[in-house]
Amino acid sequence: MKKKERHEKILDILKVDGSIKVKDIIDEMNVSDMTARRDLDTLADEGLLIRTHGGAQFLDSTSTKEEGHEKTHIEKKVLQTNEKKQIAQRANDIIKDGETVFIGPGTTLEHLAVELKNRNIRVITNSLPVFLILHPSTTIDLILIGGECREITGAFVGSIAINNLESLTFSKAFVSANAVYNNSIATYSDLEGEVQRVALNNAVEKILLVDSTKFESYDFYNFYQLERMNLIVTDKNVTTDIIEKYEKFSKIVIADK
């Protein structure tokens, strides 16, 4: 793997996971310890990451911000990472070449963006992190929906974002959520929820990606009904009781790769 490709892959991992270890680079990219450390030092000198003992951390201004009790982007990145990757891999299998898909904000959806990098599809997103992951791709027809940016998540929201989305149609819309309880899908921000509502309404197929910890949880703003979703993709840690309860509202697919 060439140096430029290694650097891009390191940054992709950081955008999704928030941190990386030298050992991870050695194992994933089949390079020496010295090469791995040199790559991190180079990217740190370019202001693209923060070097830590034995690795690096994603350079993200949202990590120092607080907004009520909402978790920061960095805090969310380190939660259920393996489960989110499995969900993203399963969601990638659902998408067909040539489709136009909407991808909303959220760390699970950032994992999906990584899976999609070499696909021949059109992606519309209001998530800056998703956009940055897909932007280097030469096969993706990529559209970023503008609007007011919520710094804590990097999502574009508000009337401008909604107006831009209202005239678009998607074969599939992928959204995530902070909480799923009974027939309600909830998030922290009503602004983010309203944008996702419009995108879902304009999609032929509506797909929810949530890890198993989100079920039986609450959050501030209920933005959609679960029974209107075509599919829920979650991880293998979901219990039988949860499956039995929630499959009454929508079809559930378990990601177990």
Side-chain angles (χ1 to χ4, degrees), residues 164-212:
N164 286 334
L165 279 173
E166 282 180 337
S167 61
L168 304 178
T169 302
F170 319 106
S171 56
K172 294 182 174 73
F174 293 85
V175 301
S176 191
N178 289 348
V180 178
Y181 187 77
N182 290 338
N183 196 24
S184 296
I185 307 169
T187 189
Y188 180 88
S189 165
D190 58 325
L191 295 174
E192 285 193 20
E194 282 303 304
V195 173
Q196 293 188 95
R197 184 203 301 273
V198 172
L200 288 168
N201 286 342
N202 289 3
V204 177
E205 292 185 63
K206 314 172 203 314
I207 301 165
L208 177 66
L209 307 185
V210 285
D211 67 75
S212 55

Side-chain angles (χ1 to χ4, degrees), residues 38-216:
R38 187 184 299 120
D39 284 346
L40 293 180
D41 289 339
T42 299
L43 291 169
D45 290 342
E46 294 174 0
L48 298 174
L49 55 76
I50 300 171
R51 281 291 266 124
T52 60
H53 179 69
Q57 180 178 312
F58 183 51
L59 183 62
D60 188 343
S61 61
T62 63
S63 63
T64 61
K65 301 290 183 180
E66 292 186 1
E67 187 173 321
H69 297 287
E70 185 178 14
K71 286 185 174 65
T72 66
H73 199 210
I74 288 294
E75 289 173 328
K76 291 178 181 178
K77 281 181 177 183
V78 298
L79 300 174
Q80 286 76 48
T81 300
N82 290 332
E83 290 84 353
K84 291 174 181 178
K85 287 181 179 178
Q86 291 172 353
I87 292 169
Q89 289 167 0
R90 184 65 183 86
N92 179 39
D93 295 338
I94 298 169
I95 300 172
K96 300 176 183 177
D97 284 346
E99 285 196 299
T100 295
V101 301
F102 172 83
I103 300 178
T107 52
T108 304
L109 294 163
E110 291 167 30
H111 283 286
L112 175 57
V114 171
E115 296 295 323
L116 295 176
K117 285 188 71 174
N118 296 317
R119 297 292 304 273
N120 291 295
I121 57 174
R122 174 184 289 153
V123 173
I124 292 89
T125 184
N126 70 317
S127 166
L128 182 58
V130 168
F131 174 81
L132 292 174
I133 291 168
L134 292 176
H135 183 255
S137 173
T138 59
T139 62
I140 298 283
D141 182 4
L142 181 62
I143 298 173
L144 176 64
I145 296 297
E148 177 186 350
C149 186
R150 293 192 72 235
E151 187 175 4
I152 197 166
T153 61
F156 289 97
V157 298
S159 59
I160 295 175
I162 288 174
N163 289 339
N164 286 334
L165 279 173
E166 282 180 337
S167 61
L168 304 178
T169 302
F170 319 106
S171 56
K172 294 182 174 73
F174 293 85
V175 301
S176 191
N178 289 348
V180 178
Y181 187 77
N182 290 338
N183 196 24
S184 296
I185 307 169
T187 189
Y188 180 88
S189 165
D190 58 325
L191 295 174
E192 285 193 20
E194 282 303 304
V195 173
Q196 293 188 95
R197 184 203 301 273
V198 172
L200 288 168
N201 286 342
N202 289 3
V204 177
E205 292 185 63
K206 314 172 203 314
I207 301 165
L208 177 66
L209 307 185
V210 285
D211 67 75
S212 55
T213 66
K214 301 302 192 300
F215 292 99
E216 298 294 277

